[in-house]
């Protein structure tokens, strides 16, 4: 083992001493040895390959936590994770291009057709819910928590949109705002009280009958993990709904959170579409008066 100081390792790896200290603290790139008396860090020259890999992965905007996990994988698994990450990056880039094109057309006085809008009637239904104030990362974790509960203790299956799981965004959810998010699963009204007793962590409520305007979101526009950016697609969907409302003489305030116990929602379906005419993976909807 050829051992070098942190300064020499920084020079050879072209990483700063500050970065190496951070990587050590986070368990991404740990020194081969730390002198007990002085606290000086020493690295094995063989670690230069890992250091170069970390540097390249950071150029792909991979978070350090993901890099730490990736370095522990075998090469084949690591390659697949990098490919999956880049697919997400390209998808997000395509979505931002679509938003930019829409804004250019809007400011140029041109009308763009982003999504086709449809309407549906939703009957009154009983729903079991999990609601919490969360930011972007927390919204993903909340969804995983809700799904895990239902997988552990499955509910009776209800077919169609009326029985599909959905999430409601009651406010802005971003890195700066922790608007409430609620995950919901419809349950048979006749068994609602009995079923709720088996889910003490969930709340039972009745959602009133209402109309929804909605747009189908294709599967490849959705985030596949924490840090995914669905906001662009949702913004375009929202713009499509606002344009539809204007064309149909619906006041903007009606296409909003009215009644108060209804909110902007994403409805998720149990399987991906098999054909172009089958039900989409999910849709973005707003209740309206």
């Amino acid at each position: 083992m050829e051992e070098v100081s942190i300064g020499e390792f920084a020079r050879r790896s072209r990483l700063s001493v500050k970065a190496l200290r951070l990587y050590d603290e986070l368990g991404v790139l740990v020194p081969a040895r730390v002198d007990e008396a002085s606290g000086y860090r020493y690295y094995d020259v063989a670690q230069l390959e890992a250091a170069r890999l970390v540097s390249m992965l950071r150029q792909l905007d991979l978070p350090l936590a993901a890099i730490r996990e990736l370095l522990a994988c075998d090469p084949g698994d690591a390659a697949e994770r990098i490919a999956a990450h880049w697919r997400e990056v390209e998808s997000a880039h395509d979505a931002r291009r679509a938003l930019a094109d829409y804004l250019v057309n809007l400011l140029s006085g041109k009308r763009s057709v982003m999504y086709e809008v449809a309407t549906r009637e939703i009957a009154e239904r009983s729903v079991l819910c999990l609601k919490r104030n969360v930011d972007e990362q927390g919204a993903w974790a909340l969804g995983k928590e809700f799904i895990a509960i239902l997988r552990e203790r499955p509910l009776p299956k209800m077919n169609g949109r009326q029985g599909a799981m959905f999430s409601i965004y009651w406010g802005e959810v971003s890195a700066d705002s922790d608007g409430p998010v609620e995950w919901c699963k419809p349950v048979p009204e006749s068994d609602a009280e009995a079923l709720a007793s088996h889910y003490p962590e969930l709340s039972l409520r009745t959602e009133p009958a209402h109309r929804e305007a909605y747009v189908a979101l294709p599967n490849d526009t959705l985030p596949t993990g924490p840090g995914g950016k669905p906001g662009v697609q949702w913004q375009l969907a929202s713009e499509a709904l606002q344009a539809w409302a204007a064309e149909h003489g619906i006041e903007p305030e009606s296409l909003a959170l009215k009644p108060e116990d209804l909110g902007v929602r994403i409805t998720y379906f149990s399987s991906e579409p098999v054909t172009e005419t089958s039900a989409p993976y999910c849709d973005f909807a707003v209740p309206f008066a």
Side-chain angles (χ1 to χ4, degrees):
M1 180 176 71
E2 182 185 351
E3 197 174 76
V4 297
S5 68
I6 188 173
E8 177 63 14
F9 191 79
R11 186 186 69 80
R12 296 193 191 187
S13 67
R14 303 186 69 180
L15 293 170
S16 69
V17 170
K18 179 180 179 181
L20 288 172
R21 287 172 177 161
L22 174 63
Y23 298 163
D24 178 19
E25 292 172 3
L26 297 179
V28 175
L29 188 61
V30 179
R33 180 175 67 88
V34 177
D35 186 86
E36 293 184 3
S38 64
Y40 291 166
R41 296 171 172 86
Y42 293 91
Y43 292 80
D44 183 351
V45 171
Q47 291 180 279
L48 284 171
E49 183 178 351
R52 285 191 287 269
L53 181 57
V54 170
S55 179
M56 288 186 286
L57 291 172
R58 288 299 280 162
Q59 292 297 315
L60 295 179
D61 291 330
L62 269 166
L64 290 173
I67 292 176
R68 182 180 64 239
E69 294 178 2
L70 195 147
L71 291 177
C73 297
D74 63 72
D77 188 22
E80 179 53 39
R81 291 191 181 208
I82 293 171
H85 168 74
W86 194 246
R87 285 194 295 269
E88 291 182 23
V89 171
E90 289 183 322
S91 177
H93 181 74
D94 290 343
R96 286 193 292 270
R97 182 189 295 114
L99 180 58
D101 289 344
Y102 168 74
L103 289 172
V104 169
N105 288 331
L106 177 67
L107 296 173
S108 301
K110 301 176 183 177
R111 182 182 181 278
S112 297
V113 177
M114 297 155 290
Y115 292 106
E116 293 296 327
V117 179
T119 62
R120 61 182 174 226
E121 301 286 340
I122 300 295
E124 181 179 281
R125 54 186 175 176
S126 298
V127 290
L128 283 173
C129 311
L130 182 63
K131 187 176 183 180
R132 194 174 298 157
N133 280 63
V134 291
D135 58 13
E136 287 176 342
Q137 294 289 323
W140 178 263
L142 181 64
K144 289 181 66 176
E145 179 183 341
F146 185 72
I147 292 170
I149 291 171
L150 299 188
R151 283 179 176 171
E152 181 184 346
R153 286 161 284 162
L155 285 164
K157 184 176 181 180
M158 295 178 64
N159 295 323
R161 285 182 170 86
Q162 184 71 10
M165 179 172 60
F166 59 96
S167 58
I168 299 178
Y169 284 70
W170 295 100
E172 178 70 18
V173 176
S174 66
D176 304 322
S177 178
D178 61 346
V181 173
E182 184 176 29
W183 279 77
C184 308
K185 183 67 176 73
V187 294
E189 183 179 357
S190 58
D191 302 325
E193 293 290 345
L195 288 169
S197 66
H198 297 288
Y199 298 84
E201 63 272 70
L202 305 181
S203 59
L204 175 67
R205 66 180 180 84
T206 299
E207 184 175 67
H210 62 277
R211 298 182 71 196
E212 291 179 355
Y214 69 95
V215 297
L217 294 178
N219 191 25
D220 60 4
T221 66
L222 298 174
T224 56
K229 299 293 183 183
V232 173
Q233 288 81 23
W234 295 358
Q235 183 65 49
L236 288 171
S238 178
E239 291 294 326
L241 288 164
Q242 295 291 346
W244 171 85
E247 289 178 2
H248 290 76
I250 297 176
E251 295 297 325
E253 58 269 19
S254 297
L255 196 67
L257 309 183
K258 292 186 177 183
E260 292 182 356
D261 52 356
L262 297 171
V264 176
R265 73 265 317 276
I266 316 297
T267 302
Y268 303 88
F269 300 94
S270 58
S271 60
E272 297 178 9
V274 178
T275 68
E276 292 182 356
T277 58
S278 62
Y281 174 76
C282 85
D283 60 44
F284 179 101
V286 288
F288 68 99

